[in-house]
Amino acid sequence: MTTMKIASHALLIGGEWVQPADGGSIPMIDPCSGEVFAHIAAGGARDIDRAVRAAQTALDGSWGRTPASERGRILQRWARLIEANLEELTLIEARDTGKPMNASRIDIQVTARYFDFYGGAADKLHGQVIPFLDGYTVNVLREPHGVTGHIIPWNYPAQQYGRTVAAALAAGNAAVIKPSEDACLSTLRLSELGLEAGVPGDALNVVTGLGEVAGAALSAHPGVNFLSFTGSPEVGTLVQASAARNHVPCTLELGGKSPQVVFADADLDRSVPVVVKAIVQHAGQTCSAGSRLLVQKEIYERFLGLVSEAFGKVRVGTPEMNLDCGPVMNATQRDRIRSFTQAAIDSGVPVLARGSFADGLPPQGFWVQPTLFGPVPREHSLACEEVFGPVLSAIPFEDEEDAIRLANATDYGLVGAVWTANGACQQRVSKRMRCGQVFINCYGAGGGVELPFGGVKKSGHGREKGFLALEHFTVTKTIVNYHG
Ligand code: NAD
């Protein structure tokens, strides 16, 4: 599908493409065909150590001395380079993740926006002067943490890169990035463009490799001053334990089981396509997927009739076909999703609708049929656990109080939506939802570059995106000066 211009078999450390200290490579599998299409370098602990040391030198040298306004200019130049290479990056991302080309293109455009946004914000991140006792001046500086470690998942590799790396660099940190071994080619190419834009090589390091090897080494490295992790709650727990051992802060962006709450007075025609897209997008492999559809009982039958009709039209295909979604990431994902759906069918949960496959799909691809279930019993695993696939669970509710209870009834708390024409109900429900983002009569924000994002409970902690991320990627220092 695409010719990789980058040295995908090497690591990027200190501005050079280098071979991993222990040698070795990892095959990259095309999710559409199940075939190997590239190899990446299998970085390990020694490579991570080398990358962290390179990043440390950037703090006292090149990057540390670059004024904020110049950092911003470099990031915005980077954004222009991403746009100039839009089609190549789109192909890379689609090949790596299997998502439709149109969706992949949007991902790259959003990635460029992160570099624009944080480039523009770099010289607007101010400290404070605090009124204090007579004869004193107190300044609160906002400083970078130092070396930031970025552990990135496979579902939105380019966007994840943009949202954490652009913010960290804008704030003056030096980055060491460990992308997912399942999809990391856009990370390599984006980093190459970063060097071209003018980021000093020692401030931008990428070590590809297995999570339990390179990822574990990065999270445990004592030279890392802040960890940004996006991925599963299980691995997030390990990363947080490593951060605790080194006494460094971390941001965890974990999974979700996000509810869409539809009241009887909602605009049903408007909500139906949004509800379907929110679970089908990237084959449900979106942390903020709207995977629980909570519907007021008065309209449950009618609304589910409309959703079933739309859901039945969902089509799965290759990136070039540009249908509603592509394959899932790998065989593990496929088998996990199928075990969820099979268990639901075996336990008698009704299937209301299923999407279909385009003709002629490669048989070895990781294809999963989108499925709408309902009514799903409230305690069922399908109602509570993250499937991370194109599986929507519909559940009826009685009234507002019941809806709020149900919306908050999982271990997760990432995103939620309220569909109603009643303004007071919109406010009451959105305030009582335990999650990091609520949408009213809409869902998703096209990347949401400007909007603080993150979860509560098992969905993680800390915030990324928006200006707030810059606060997370910095630390304050209070300077008390007695001058009489
Ligand atoms: P994962 O946790 O398996 O992997 C995430 C990253 O962690 C990868 O780079 C992986 O190599 C690395 N890793 C694996 N083992 C490690 C270890 N022992 N130490 C350090 N790093 C390690 O998750 P995944 O399967 O890539 O992604 C899917 C999960 O991520 C889902 O649960 C999804 O909801 C979540 N997710 C959350 C968000 C969010 O913003 N909240 C965004 C995307 C994905």
Side-chain angles (χ1 to χ4, degrees), residues 430-463:
S430 53
K431 283 185 180 163
R432 290 181 62 194
M433 274 188 172
R434 292 209 59 213
C435 59
Q437 254 183 7
V438 178
F439 294 93
I440 298 173
N441 293 331
C442 58
Y443 198 88
V449 174
E450 308 84 354
L451 313 179
F453 178 77
V456 299
K457 303 194 282 182
K458 200 174 164 183
S459 291
H461 52 74
R463 291 294 176 264

Side-chain angles (χ1 to χ4, degrees), residues 61-384:
S62 52
W63 196 237
R65 295 191 181 178
T66 304
S69 58
E70 178 58 16
R71 290 200 304 268
R73 265 195 295 274
I74 291 172
L75 294 185
Q76 293 194 323
R77 208 178 296 141
W78 196 346
R80 301 289 76 73
L81 286 171
I82 294 169
E83 287 168 353
N85 291 277
L86 177 64
E87 286 312 306
E88 183 205 348
L89 284 161
T90 298
L91 278 166
I92 291 173
E93 195 76 335
R95 180 68 182 257
D96 232 0
T97 63
K99 65 180 73 169
M101 287 289 288
N102 288 345
S104 176
R105 189 171 294 105
I106 290 169
D107 283 0
I108 303 302
Q109 286 163 336
V110 172
T111 305
R113 284 184 53 221
Y114 279 115
F115 284 93
D116 263 334
F117 181 86
Y118 288 114
D123 59 358
K124 294 161 192 74
L125 185 63
H126 298 157
Q128 293 176 320
V129 178
I130 296 186
F132 195 52
L133 304 174
D134 185 39
Y136 287 81
T137 296
V138 178
N139 294 311
V140 181
L141 307 188
R142 199 163 261 292
E143 299 183 330
H145 288 287
V147 176
T148 51
H150 304 250
I151 300 178
I152 294 178
W154 45 258
N155 56 348
Y156 289 83
Q159 281 204 45
Q160 291 287 334
Y161 180 99
R163 90 184 198 204
T164 72
V165 175
L169 293 179
N173 299 285
V176 178
I177 302 145
K178 209 305 280 176
S180 168
E181 56 271 44
D182 280 307
C184 61
L185 300 180
S186 60
T187 291
L188 294 168
R189 182 66 178 131
L190 286 165
S191 302
E192 196 173 52
L193 293 176
L195 299 187
E196 197 180 325
V199 181
D202 47 8
L204 181 62
N205 303 278
V206 182
V207 178
T208 55
L210 295 175
E212 58 272 29
V213 180
L218 179 59
S219 33
H221 198 293
V224 173
N225 308 109
F226 180 90
L227 281 163
S228 160
F229 173 81
T230 302
S232 59
E234 295 72 25
V235 178
T237 305
L238 299 176
V239 170
Q240 180 156 252
S242 293
R245 274 192 288 275
N246 286 330
H247 304 285
V248 297
C250 64
T251 293
L252 299 182
E253 299 282 10
L254 310 175
K257 189 73 182 175
S258 300
Q260 302 245 27
V261 183
V262 185
F263 284 91
D265 66 346
D267 180 342
L268 303 190
D269 291 338
R270 215 177 95 71
S271 59
V272 168
V274 179
V275 161
V276 174
K277 186 175 174 210
I279 184 63
V280 165
Q281 179 172 307
H282 195 18
Q285 304 169 115
T286 305
C287 53
S288 55
S291 52
R292 282 189 302 150
L293 181 57
L294 315 184
V295 185
Q296 197 155 18
K297 68 170 195 258
E298 290 90 316
I299 57 158
Y300 181 84
E301 292 299 330
R302 183 157 64 98
F303 187 61
L304 264 298
L306 297 172
V307 175
S308 299
E309 193 185 336
F311 207 93
K313 292 180 184 152
V314 167
R315 303 262 292 150
V316 182
T318 63
E320 297 79 5
M321 292 173 179
N322 271 321
L323 300 176
D324 300 293
C325 61
V328 299
M329 189 66 222
N330 51 38
T332 312
Q333 272 286 111
R334 179 198 57 201
D335 297 345
R336 184 172 178 276
I337 297 163
R338 283 184 183 167
S339 73
F340 264 106
T341 51
Q342 196 53 51
I345 290 166
D346 292 347
S347 61
V349 183
V351 171
L352 295 178
R354 303 200 97 160
S356 60
F357 300 123
D359 292 337
L361 295 182
Q364 302 308 320
F366 309 124
W367 309 107
V368 169
Q369 197 171 10
T371 309
L372 167 62
F373 285 96
V376 178
R378 295 179 176 207
E379 307 301 324
H380 199 281
S381 59
L382 211 54
C384 309

